[in-house]
Amino acid sequence: MRKKLFSTAIFLLFGAANLSAQTMRLATYNIRYDNKQDTANAWLKRVPYLTDLIKFQDFDLFGTQEVLYNQLLDMTVKLPGYEYIGVGRDDGKQAGEFSAIFYKKDKYKLLKQGTFWLAPTTTAPTKGWDAALPRICTWGQFQDKATGFTFYMFNTHFDHRGVEARRESAKLILAKVKEMAGTAPVILSGDLNVDQRNESYTLLNTSGLLKDAYTTAKVVYAPNGTFNGFDAARKTDARIDHIFLTSTFAPTRYGILTDTYGGGKTPSDHYPVAIEVRYATKK
């Protein structure tokens, strides 16, 4: 018995000696589309604060929602260290909202990318089930240039009205993650338009494949929910913006970033969710 324990200890020590702990900073951010009626919170007023927040937090990758093409252009100018992937949901090109993924171009190599529609027909612009609007999920396969660590990130925005559409979207994304990523590490970010008490959220969080970082992070900073409606005084515990992870990633910190500017204005009508994760790579 003693010999077996000793052998096990040597194996664990040898295994640990050949692994290196790595850290990654991730976020999801619904930036609010460029609505011309948002006069006090117009996009061109908000974008400097929104992009400065991103630069200060130094995210490695982050998923976005509600981004129109002109907003993508503005963000890429102000975030020169990042590239993005994604297409417009209305035509698969530049029309309509994007669910773009931004990543540090010097740190990660993009291996594959794509977008599928949240609908029975996933390959072309369409509305699914009882959805009010076309909805998409953009994904990328990335490789850390320094370590060779390879992983997938999926980013989405569920419908704001369709109950069936949200439920079926959750099922579809789980199926796509299994089909496309297999056993590879996966990050799923998105605005689900439902909070942590809803069945669509529960389908993902109890899938055995993905887990909400909020529920497993060692340190949680959540002074508010994630939707603010451009009102910093609004208080809620509802989290409708989420980051889910496969078991490769161990979240160490989770935060809902309630930054304001100009005497209480918010850079978006959602607060970004930011997490820090640790994972192991071979030396």
Side-chain angles (χ1 to χ4, degrees), residues 38-83:
D38 291 341
T39 52
N41 299 289
W43 168 247
L44 291 180
K45 295 178 181 179
R46 298 187 288 113
V47 64
Y49 300 98
L50 186 145
T51 51
D52 281 352
L53 184 156
I54 291 167
K55 285 186 284 189
F56 180 79
Q57 292 294 334
D58 196 30
F59 302 133
D60 292 307
L61 303 98
F62 61 97
T64 60
Q65 300 84 35
E66 290 198 18
V67 195
L68 299 178
Y69 186 65
N70 68 291
Q71 293 175 290
L72 280 174
L73 297 181
D74 292 339
M75 290 178 70
T76 54
V77 169
K78 293 181 179 296
L79 297 170
Y82 293 89
E83 296 278 8

Side-chain angles (χ1 to χ4, degrees), residues 161-172:
R161 292 183 183 173
V163 174
E164 182 187 6
R166 291 193 293 264
R167 180 173 59 246
E168 295 304 317
S169 294
K171 293 177 182 178
L172 175 62

Side-chain angles (χ1 to χ4, degrees), residues 84-140:
Y84 76 85
I85 58 172
V87 298
R89 69 187 185 188
D90 290 354
D91 66 353
K93 297 177 182 177
Q94 296 180 359
E97 295 177 7
F98 288 61
S99 290
I101 298 172
F102 285 77
Y103 63 97
K104 286 184 176 177
K105 59 186 178 182
D106 291 339
K107 187 170 184 178
Y108 299 104
K109 179 181 180 181
L110 177 65
L111 302 179
K112 298 177 184 178
Q113 64 171 302
T115 295
F116 57 87
W117 275 258
L118 302 181
T121 300
T122 62
T123 56
T126 185
K127 291 189 288 187
W129 304 287
D130 59 348
L133 297 166
R135 298 291 180 174
I136 55 176
C137 180
T138 290
W139 61 272

Side-chain angles (χ1 to χ4, degrees), residues 1 52 57 95 113 121 160 186 213 232 240 244:
M1 180 66 175
D52 281 352
Q57 292 294 334
Q113 64 171 302
T121 300
H160 63 301
V186 171
I240 67 171
F244 298 89

